[in-house]
Amino acid sequence: MSNSIKVFSPSTVANVGCGYDVLGFALDGIGEEMVVTELSDDKMVILENDKFDLPLKPDKNVASVAAQALLDAAGIKKGYSFAFDKQIHPGSGMGTSASSSAGAVFAVNELIGRPFNTHQLVEFAMEGERMLSGKAHADNVAPNLLGGFTLVRAYGPLDVLQLPTPDNMYVAIVHPQVVVKTTDAKRMLKQTVKLDQAVAQWGNVGGLVSGLYESDFGLIGRSMEDHIVEPVRKLLIPLYDEVKAKALEEGAIGCSIAGSGPSIFAFAEGKATAEKIKASMQAIYDEVGILAYTYLSKIGTEGVRVL
Ligand code: HSE
């Protein structure tokens, strides 16, 4: 068995509007490559070759934390080095930390002979999220590992469902260069919601799931409305309302905050519409001189894979 493996781990978008901490989807071909190599001792080593100053201490890097959780569960004492090549800037809201956690557990599981199934890997990858944001949420790592759209039906015990991906469904994403930490974006949310907000929200989660099954873009769009999180978090994102209004005017199915932000994503039917939306979102930030990166992707139906 080889002692080194190279994997691709997709970026992901969590929440999908109404589904805070439960819904997410993977991107197609956008994410990170990671090389994981077994070492001769039991130390975890983060190689200093990425361009984003990722934490080098093994107890502070999501990849080594998640991989260690897997090794502990397997009762194996081994060490690995991790080298990352990320396409997306950390802190974007596009699940960059989750891609590392998911990539690491997938890679180590392959190297030790695949003792765990993909659903078990989700639980180990969540430990990276716990270390980073204080909460072991799975809405990024689940689509990372399973691909497509996923729903975390329950956290205790974890019950993750894979949802269908409608054909010809694209996503345009704009990442304005402002810093939003997931920890802060979580802390700013109220711990209680009003009953009428909850009713509207769970109606929408059901509607969105049904829309994915039926490939009903109208239903998907109107179900994405978020009554709880978006009204609070959008205050951290410059020109959020303008960007969303423009995306919808250009034909977006729906538009919301990607994960904890600051990226904004918009669904579109077909690549041409997605291109138009992407350009119009970028133009809003260009006009006021805010640096913003944009991305366009089909919904990625594949999770982490060996390269
Ligand atoms: N569901 C999480 C949140 C995703 O919105 O805080 C963080 O990337």
Side-chain angles (χ1 to χ4, degrees):
M1 202 182 293
S2 163
N3 72 342
S4 187
I5 191 168
K6 186 176 188 180
V7 299
F8 174 78
S9 184
S11 291
T12 51
V13 171
N15 301 340
V16 202
C18 59
Y20 175 72
D21 274 2
V22 298
L23 283 167
F25 65 90
L27 302 186
D28 182 26
I30 299 176
E32 73 179 72
E33 291 181 7
M34 182 189 297
V35 176
V36 181
T37 305
E38 188 183 325
L39 302 176
S40 52
D41 58 22
D42 63 0
K43 302 270 184 304
M44 295 289 189
V45 176
I46 309 299
L47 296 176
E48 199 177 352
N49 63 351
D50 80 277
K51 43 191 182 291
F52 297 123
D53 291 330
L54 300 174
L56 296 177
K57 287 193 178 156
D59 60 339
K60 296 280 178 255
N61 189 293
V62 290
S64 36
V65 167
Q68 191 63 59
L70 179 150
L71 290 167
D72 291 347
I76 291 176
K77 270 186 157 309
K78 277 186 177 170
Y80 295 88
S81 69
F82 299 85
F84 308 96
D85 186 4
K86 283 181 183 284
Q87 284 171 265
I88 308 278
H89 287 243
S92 62
M94 294 166 64
T96 49
S97 60
S99 332
S100 296
S101 305
V105 296
F106 179 90
V108 171
N109 192 49
E110 291 291 309
L111 290 172
I112 61 174
R114 227 179 278 166
F116 298 110
N117 65 34
T118 312
H119 282 82
Q120 291 171 304
L121 296 185
V122 171
E123 303 221 31
F124 301 128
M126 286 167 67
E127 292 307 313
E129 301 289 77
R130 188 197 304 281
M131 185 273 293
L132 202 66
S133 71
K135 178 157 187 275
H137 53 96
D139 52 343
N140 284 116
V141 293
N144 260 131
L145 284 154
L146 297 163
F149 281 91
T150 56
L151 169 73
V152 184
R153 190 205 58 82
Y155 275 93
L158 188 69
D159 186 5
V160 175
L161 310 179
Q162 202 154 14
L163 305 173
T165 301
D167 281 344
N168 213 21
M169 190 167 180
Y170 283 79
V171 60
I173 301 176
V174 63
H175 175 198
Q177 295 301 289
V178 291
V179 176
V180 175
K181 283 193 169 169
T182 301
T183 336
D184 299 335
K186 278 199 171 300
R187 219 179 276 146
M188 72 191 292
L189 301 175
K190 286 192 193 136
Q191 291 303 307
T192 53
V193 295
K194 293 201 175 114
L195 185 60
D196 60 349
Q197 287 178 311
V199 169
Q201 201 83 357
W202 60 53
N204 278 338
V205 172
L208 183 40
V209 170
S210 178
L212 293 171
Y213 271 94
E214 299 294 324
S215 292
D216 181 336
F217 290 122
L219 177 57
I220 292 170
R222 58 183 193 275
S223 302
M224 281 169 64
E225 199 183 344
D226 172 11
H227 298 270
I228 297 169
V229 176
E230 183 195 53
V232 181
R233 285 185 172 171
K234 72 176 187 177
L235 305 174
L236 300 176
I237 305 173
L239 303 173
Y240 179 78
D241 287 332
E242 287 86 338
V243 172
K244 179 168 178 169
K246 190 72 189 165
L248 294 172
E249 189 188 311
E250 294 290 347
I253 294 165
C255 177
S256 194
I257 301 169
S260 55
S263 293
I264 304 169
F265 76 98
F267 286 136
E269 183 174 5
K271 193 170 182 186
T273 309
E275 290 279 12
K276 243 176 25 171
I277 294 166
K278 184 181 88 155
S280 68
M281 296 197 298
Q282 171 102 59
I284 290 178
Y285 288 117
D286 285 350
E287 208 177 317
V288 293
I290 295 177
L291 178 64
Y293 299 113
T294 50
Y295 304 91
L296 187 143
S297 168
K298 237 187 153 176
I299 308 303
T301 49
E302 254 190 296
V304 184
R305 61 179 190 271
V306 178
L307 289 177

